[in-house]
Amino acid sequence: MKKSKNSWGKKLIAVAAAVTVAVSSLGIQAVWQPQTAQAAVKLTGKTKKTAYAKTFYGKHGKLQVKGTKLVDKKGKAVQLKGVSSHGINWDVGQPFVNEKAMQNLRDEWGVNCFRVAMYTEDYNGYCVTDAASRKKLLQTIDTAVKAGKKLGMYVIIDWHILNDGNPNKNKKQAKAFFKKVASKYKNQGHVLYEICNEPNGSTTWKDIRSYASSVIKVIRKYSKKSIVIVGTPTWSQDVDVASAKPLTRYKNIMYAFHFYAATHQDYNRQKVQTAIDNGLPVFCSEFSASEASGDGNYDFASARRWMKLMDKNKISYCCWSLSNKAEACSLLKASCKKTSRFTTADLSKMGRWLVKMYRKK
Ligand code: IDC
């Protein structure tokens, strides 16, 4: 009885897969996704031993920028597949930044890069909180950097401006912060710096260029070659604008592009294409299939179109966010009370979609 149930299940999956293939080969966007495909992700929550040389960092080492691409120590193009923390200044973000969780992402999710998002002016952010909390924020960054080193994963330290629309508003604090982290992590080849998450409001590319020049100068005093990701106007969407006048003084600079697939569509895809055509190295340090609010509906068909564009151009990406907050973009269910050892049942619909996609690559 059990056996025939299983084989019926398998037949159903096969039929569903055949329908999907047939539909997509007709050039029609498959909006309908069979539930069975979602169920295919199986996570045990267990960790695996991996020889360092076999880890992503072990294989590729320190990254550089060549043309529009990220390349490894041998000059071979690489694409990072990442997950971003939620804000480490919130309790829906900080607890998930731990070595075990990062190892779960490495071993079972197909992730090779972890972004530590530290808000600057939102609640308990680095520029508005007290000394004790600032210390804790720095410790959380340190936890991620150390875990990344041990696990052979890349780690992005993200100065997460948002409320403070213009990065120049807290430029002094930014310079002091990047002095601290760049000097501390100067020998850590797996660390990347993202210097202004999402400039917004009336912030122009000229404003950002001026901010970036001063902050990169500080980073370069200590870390001569690390990758620095610079945010772009309109919540890191205007990479086309940046591509008309990129920063030229320093090497290994990339430009942030963010998309939320249910909001951002062809108009934004064209911006990325223009930037690439103009030779700009783009890094997609945040994305989700949700709306830009981080909540609302998913648009997986749009997300698939985005991934196609990213993969074709070998653009690296990080998915927002590793959290159990009750919002669509969270990769964990709100009912998940664990901070590591995630199993299939702990993943949200977004989490299951992401893992399935990452594991295929
Ligand atoms: C959102 C979080 C949400 C939090 C809010 C704070 O998901 O829980 O309350 O920030 O304002 C971004 C931002 C990122 C946003 C995310 C979703 O970089 O901070 O996180 N988003 O709105 N840009 C586009 C979307």
Side-chain angles (χ1 to χ4, degrees):
M1 187 62 196
K2 205 171 170 211
K3 199 174 168 215
S4 73
K5 229 184 180 176
N6 272 345
S7 69
W8 268 110
K10 274 183 194 151
K11 271 180 199 156
L12 214 77
I13 293 170
V15 169
V19 169
T20 313
V21 169
V23 169
S24 50
S25 67
L26 284 172
I28 302 163
Q29 269 304 322
V31 179
W32 172 75
Q33 271 287 292
Q35 278 305 312
T36 42
Q38 288 281 355
V41 171
K42 277 266 179 297
L43 301 181
T44 65
K46 291 184 188 137
T47 52
K48 284 183 212 145
K49 274 220 167 75
T50 305
Y52 201 72
K54 293 250 163 81
T55 65
F56 205 76
Y57 183 75
K59 279 192 239 163
H60 298 285
K62 206 161 171 172
L63 303 177
Q64 319 156 49
V65 176
K66 204 164 152 195
T68 60
K69 301 202 171 64
L70 257 183
V71 301
D72 70 5
K73 60 182 178 195
K74 293 182 190 144
K76 187 175 164 257
V78 288
Q79 191 181 12
L80 301 185
K81 289 181 294 171
V83 159
S84 177
S85 75
H86 193 286
I88 58 169
N89 46 303
W90 273 298
D91 60 7
V92 290
Q94 195 275 337
F96 301 99
V97 182
N98 64 76
E99 187 188 316
K100 269 272 169 318
M102 283 171 65
Q103 190 165 356
N104 288 148
L105 304 193
R106 183 194 76 172
D107 291 349
E108 292 202 299
W109 296 33
V111 165
N112 53 34
C113 175
F114 189 75
R115 177 181 188 244
V116 204
M118 184 187 72
Y119 284 74
T120 48
E121 242 193 53
D122 291 62
Y123 166 78
N124 189 34
Y126 193 80
C127 303
V128 293
T129 198
D130 58 24
S133 300
R134 256 201 303 278
K135 200 170 159 200
K136 194 169 171 204
L137 292 170
L138 292 169
Q139 277 166 357
T140 303
I141 292 174
D142 199 53
T143 299
V145 171
K146 284 195 176 122
K149 170 144 199 189
K150 201 162 154 192
L151 299 167
M153 296 168 85
Y154 293 88
V155 172
I156 303 175
I157 300 177
D158 162 40
W159 182 255
H160 202 86
I161 73 157
L162 196 60
N163 268 348
D164 40 342
N166 191 324
N168 288 298
K169 190 170 172 203
N170 292 309
K171 184 165 110 175
K172 221 174 125 195
Q173 288 94 321
K175 283 168 76 177
F177 170 79
F178 281 106
K179 180 176 177 185
K180 217 185 261 287
V181 289
S183 57
K184 186 165 182 184
Y185 302 128
K186 62 175 192 270
N187 298 321
Q188 308 291 317
H190 66 299
V191 174
L192 291 77
Y193 300 98
E194 183 169 358
I195 63 172
C196 50
N197 168 52
E198 289 188 351
N200 59 80
S202 56
T203 310
T204 62
W205 175 234
K206 198 171 167 215
D207 297 333
I208 302 168
R209 276 176 62 95
S210 137
Y211 165 83
S213 303
S214 348
V215 173
I216 297 169
K217 198 170 161 197
V218 171
I219 296 175
R220 283 291 179 259
K221 253 193 222 158
Y222 305 96
S223 183
K224 302 274 175 247
K225 292 184 177 161
S226 53
I227 305 291
V228 177
I229 305 165
V230 181
T232 54
T234 323
W235 294 279
S236 285
Q237 285 164 42
D238 296 345
V239 278
D240 53 338
V241 174
S243 71
K245 204 171 183 214
L247 292 142
T248 46
R249 184 179 301 172
Y250 301 102
K251 283 191 174 153
N252 294 337
I253 306 299
M254 301 191 87
Y255 299 82
F257 176 78
H258 293 173
F259 74 82
Y260 284 76
T263 302
H264 305 125
Q265 306 276 353
D266 287 346
Y267 170 76
N268 298 85
R269 282 187 271 273
Q270 189 51 52
K271 282 175 172 283
V272 174
Q273 194 56 59
T274 302
I276 295 291
D277 293 346
N278 287 343
L280 197 79
V282 174
F283 195 114
C284 178
S285 48
E286 239 184 62
F287 78 90
S288 178
S290 75
E291 295 173 17
S293 63
D295 213 359
N297 294 316
Y298 298 118
D299 187 341
F300 291 114
S302 167
R304 279 194 295 278
R305 282 199 282 277
W306 273 115
M307 285 332 203
K308 222 170 141 186
L309 177 64
M310 299 285 130
D311 293 344
K312 191 176 130 214
N313 295 292
K314 277 207 172 278
I315 297 175
S316 297
Y317 35 72
C318 290
C319 183
W320 179 269
S321 74
L322 186 66
S323 175
N324 66 350
K325 183 168 173 175
E327 59 180 2
C329 65
S330 293
L331 294 168
L332 302 170
K333 283 183 188 159
S335 59
C336 169
K337 301 297 175 223
K338 295 180 214 162
T339 56
S340 65
R341 299 188 168 83
F342 310 118
T343 62
T344 316
D346 297 319
L347 297 194
S348 67
K349 190 170 180 184
M350 183 64 216
R352 293 199 304 275
W353 182 85
L354 184 86
V355 173
K356 188 166 172 255
M357 187 215 12
Y358 275 11
R359 294 216 302 203
K360 250 197 244 154
K361 293 179 192 272

